[in-house]
Each structure stands twice: as C-alpha cells, then as structure tokens.
Amino acid sequence: MTDVVITRPGLLTTVQDLGRHGWASLAVPRSGAADQPSLRLANRLVGNDENRAGLEATLLGVDVRFTGDRWIAVTGAPSPVFVGDRPVAQYAPVFVGAGSVLRVGAATSGARVYMGVAGGVDVAPVLGSRSTDIMSGLGPDPLQAGSALPLGPPQRGPAAVDVAPAPAIPAHATIRLLPGPRDDWFATSPYGLVYTVTGESNRVGVRLDGPVLQRTRLDELPSEAMTAGSVQVPPSGLPVVLLADYPTTGGYPVAGVVHPDDFWLVAQARPGMRLTFAPARRPLR
C-alpha cells in the first residue's frame, strides 16, 4: 500500500474532500475544502473524481513523503513547490517517485493550498466524508509530523492539460453579497465598506476589522439556521464571514450571504487582505 507521510505539517494541514451534506438538521456542518474549486481542479489534474480527499494546508505550506510512485497536483494559493530540491509547476500534474519528498512553501498570496494525489487520501469516511472538521472534531485530526495517510488506487492517468490557469488572488477583493435574512436590522449597509481580514480567522470564520455596522434593533435574536458564507454581526458590530466549519445555528443577525461564486475568494483571504462588499446584481445560477 502506498502512503503519504507528513514530514512538516506547517501551520494547519487537514484532510478535505467536498464535505458532509444532508446533516445540518443534526447540527453537523458541511466542512470540506474551504476553496472547493481548487480541490476540484487538483483532483481533475491527477485523474481523480472531483470529490476525492486531498490535503488543505494553510499559509505556511506542507512537506510530505511518498512511499510509492504517485501523480500529484498543487493548486490554490500561489506557493513554491519542490520535489526534493527541484522546483516543479503548480497547477499541473507532477510525477513524484517513491521515497521522494514534496515540499510546498509558504503562500505568496492567498491563504490555502490544495494537494491532489492520484487515488485520493483513503482515510475512513465519517458521515459520508473524509473531511476534518475543526469545530466538531469529526474526521481525522489535524495532521502532525509523522502522520501516515493511506492512498487509494489511481483511477485514471493524469490530465492531458500540462498547466491549468491559476486564478488571481487580489490584495483587495470585492465580494458580492446576497441579501441576508436580517439586513433590515442595521442602520448602515455593508456595501462599499472596506474591511481588513484579521489574524483571528480560521476555517470556522473570517473575522474582519473596519467600519462598525450599527444595529437599529437591539432585542435578542433566537438562534436560527446558518450557512457557509453568512455574514454574521456580533455585538462588536464587526462582521464575521462563516467558512467551511461554520456552526449550523447562531444567535447573531446575518446582514448578507456571500455569493457562491465568490466564496473561494473569502476562503483565500489571509490576514491583512482587504475586502469590500458589493450587492450581487445577477441571480444565482
């Protein structure tokens, strides 16, 4: 059996697929890759189905060793990638021989990098997903040095495309919002305001610093259903955008919900990145 062994886990490296679906009524969030387009692409590049589990590394990258030959692809935040001391392309299928170490360095922009491996990471699924959920504790623990993960049998050969286009991750992103269920609870609109991502952000939510959203209603709000991309406003008035490991219910009013096509940009928001909210002018597809 071929394994991938973590030799340097970086800041936070977890196993992720496309998440757990259909369990919100039991308070189980979706989880899964925060930037799902990047994981989907990494899987396609190595010949996997899009839902195969891969690795998600945060900000500082990750180093891994393979006990057998594998095709891999690294997508997501732009990062230097090496097999041993040899630089290799990101957003492209790369062959890694048995015993070789793949090194992914710190992201130069964005926050999260994804590693797809032919056959996928084959840990035991929990509630239909192999994803790590840092809030509930479901799925495998965050990875440590020495963690060994089994790999499934390759499904197909690598994609015919040599290099896929990498989406730009701007230092100042415009994020489209759909109206929230409590957008009438605020004296000011979030549209056009500039916020800065703080270092307190994680897979549960992206915390923002900037203009305070003043409430017009100060009464208590019973806990209600949340979804990924909800822009919650706690008593501080500073928005929090819920990410993949979001709580399924919450008692803070939601001023808006990130358009699904822009969710990946929020997932790639690193501390210091600026976000401006804008109204979504086109309907959902």
Side-chain angles (χ1 to χ4, degrees):
M1 176 185 293
T2 298
D3 292 339
V4 57
V5 180
I6 307 300
T7 58
R8 181 184 65 87
L11 181 63
L12 174 67
T13 299
T14 57
V15 176
Q16 299 295 338
D17 54 24
L18 298 184
R20 297 178 177 86
H21 298 275
W23 298 98
S25 63
L26 298 179
V28 177
R30 184 196 73 194
S31 193
D35 176 358
Q36 297 210 353
S38 287
L39 178 63
R40 290 177 184 273
L41 176 56
N43 275 321
R44 293 198 304 271
L45 286 170
V46 297
N48 288 345
D49 295 336
E50 290 188 341
N51 193 38
R52 286 297 173 107
L55 300 183
E56 177 187 278
T58 307
L59 289 174
L60 301 183
V62 61
D63 295 353
V64 301
R65 177 174 54 84
F66 291 88
T67 63
D69 297 346
R70 286 289 158 144
W71 285 92
I72 65 92
V74 177
T75 61
S79 308
V81 184
F82 299 85
V83 175
D85 294 327
R86 173 174 61 93
V88 297
Q90 197 175 6
Y91 282 86
V94 173
F95 180 79
V96 181
S100 297
V101 173
L102 179 76
R103 298 189 293 119
V104 182
T108 57
S109 66
R112 293 176 171 87
V113 67
Y114 293 85
M115 183 188 301
V117 184
V121 176
D122 198 25
V123 295
V126 178
L127 298 180
S129 171
R130 293 176 169 85
S131 292
T132 299
D133 182 339
I134 64 170
M135 173 169 257
S136 70
L138 293 174
D141 292 335
L143 302 176
Q144 305 294 325
S147 297
L149 304 169
L151 299 177
Q155 297 177 280
R156 296 174 289 275
V161 63
D162 289 328
V163 178
I169 302 175
H172 187 166
T174 298
I175 305 297
R176 292 169 295 170
L177 291 185
L178 300 162
R182 308 295 172 184
D183 58 350
D184 58 348
W185 280 43
F186 299 94
T188 53
S189 165
Y191 301 139
L193 302 179
V194 179
Y195 289 95
T196 301
V197 177
T198 77
E200 296 177 297
S201 303
N202 57 25
R203 280 181 48 86
V204 177
V206 173
R207 292 185 176 273
L208 303 177
D209 190 20
V212 171
L213 295 181
Q214 300 286 350
R215 284 175 55 168
T216 57
R217 292 185 53 174
L218 302 179
D219 47 310
E220 291 295 326
L221 178 68
S223 188
E224 59 186 2
M226 294 290 117
T227 187
S230 295
V231 181
Q232 274 195 319
V233 184
S236 68
L238 297 174
V240 179
V241 185
L242 300 185
L243 273 190
D245 293 348
Y246 65 94
T248 54
T249 61
Y252 299 140
V254 172
V257 179
V258 173
H259 191 289
D261 289 348
D262 291 349
F263 187 80
W264 75 272
L265 262 177
V266 180
Q268 289 293 356
R270 63 193 286 150
M273 182 173 171
R274 291 179 297 166
L275 303 180
T276 297
F277 293 122
R281 300 192 182 281
R282 287 183 292 179
L284 293 174
R285 291 199 298 266

